[in-house]
Amino acid sequence: VCLADDMGLGKTLQTIAVMLSRKSEGAQMVVAPASVAGNWRREVERFAPSLNIVMLNELNINDRASAVSELGPGDLLVLTYGLLVSECENLISREWASVCLDEAHTIKNRGTKSSAAAMQLKAGCRIILTGTPIQNHLGELWNLMQFINPGLLGSYDHFNMRFIAPIAAGRQEPRSQLKRLIAPFMLRRTKQEVVREL
């Protein structure tokens, strides 16, 4: 799923609730920018203290491989996108119950090392969090969807012919088709839509 709610509507907390419900399925992982990794620890400790949080960046470089391999049910590994790339071999060597990419627009460019590493992860549940699923062009959406639901939008070339080019030309039908196609996998709420609930 792509959780694309506006900032401040609780994407982190909603994801923690999902991970709490899946804790018996096996080890789980969150990849986040360094600026928010510490927030994940605080939120998990506050709202889901039964999850055992492991901060990969705080481990000695020589201890990371064994720590990753020893994680089990109830464990939540938090790491940065930089470590996703540098520790890729260890991280893709196992199956994860759930993987969450926070600020997932970090992998919007399919040619980056972060994107290539993320695509190799094996997980039963994939969650991406971003308030901006499309920042510059429609091709970014293809890469995000490729992570959470590989093949949903076909190959990039197919996506370009079927959606990017026609939508850029101003055609409405491809836009409507794309919206219907991704709707079951994307949740986006704005502050204006939920202001009464807040």
Side-chain angles (χ1 to χ4, degrees):
V1 66
C2 173
L3 185 53
D5 287 348
D6 271 354
M7 188 172 77
L9 296 185
K11 293 187 291 290
T12 302
L13 185 54
Q14 291 173 72
T15 304
I16 290 171
V18 170
M19 293 187 155
L20 194 55
S21 73
R22 295 181 54 78
K23 75 176 188 174
S24 63
E25 305 288 320
Q28 302 179 88
M29 178 197 315
V30 170
V31 184
S35 60
V36 297
N39 185 58
W40 274 93
R41 182 207 310 260
R42 288 187 296 277
E43 296 291 293
V44 167
E45 288 173 349
R46 180 176 176 194
F47 294 107
S50 64
L51 288 176
N52 175 42
I53 193 159
V54 177
M55 305 294 287
L56 191 62
N57 60 312
E58 294 177 1
L59 299 178
N60 183 297
I61 193 166
N62 299 319
D63 298 333
R64 291 176 182 164
S66 60
V68 167
S69 66
E70 293 168 6
L71 293 170
D75 292 331
L76 175 61
L77 181 69
V78 176
L79 61 139
T80 63
Y81 282 95
L83 285 177
L84 173 64
V85 172
S86 64
E87 297 292 327
C88 181
E89 203 170 300
N90 295 325
L91 299 170
I92 66 172
S93 67
R94 61 167 302 155
E95 178 89 19
W96 299 90
S98 307
V99 170
C100 171
L101 302 184
D102 192 3
E103 303 291 346
H105 49 268
T106 303
I107 68 155
K108 67 184 179 181
N109 183 339
R110 61 192 178 106
T112 63
K113 291 180 181 179
S114 294
S115 175
M119 297 301 174
Q120 296 178 69
L121 294 170
K122 298 179 281 286
C125 174
R126 293 170 178 241
I127 303 168
I128 59 174
L129 310 180
T130 178
T132 53
I134 302 171
Q135 290 182 319
N136 300 310
H137 59 84
L138 208 48
E140 298 168 353
L141 179 66
W142 179 87
N143 208 50
L144 295 177
M145 289 293 128
Q146 186 68 9
F147 175 76
I148 60 171
N149 198 339
L152 175 71
L153 300 178
S155 69
Y156 185 80
D157 290 338
H158 171 79
F159 182 72
N160 188 33
M161 282 188 329
R162 184 172 175 200
F163 297 109
I164 296 176
I167 290 171
R171 293 183 40 211
Q172 290 301 311
E173 182 56 28
R175 180 186 299 263
S176 299
Q177 289 174 347
L178 179 58
K179 190 174 182 178
R180 283 193 306 271
L181 194 57
I182 66 171
F185 308 102
M186 182 176 289
L187 180 59
R188 175 149 178 82
R189 293 166 294 196
T190 64
K191 287 178 181 160
Q192 289 79 20
E193 290 172 331
V194 296
V195 68
R196 288 187 177 151
E197 297 170 33
L198 293 176

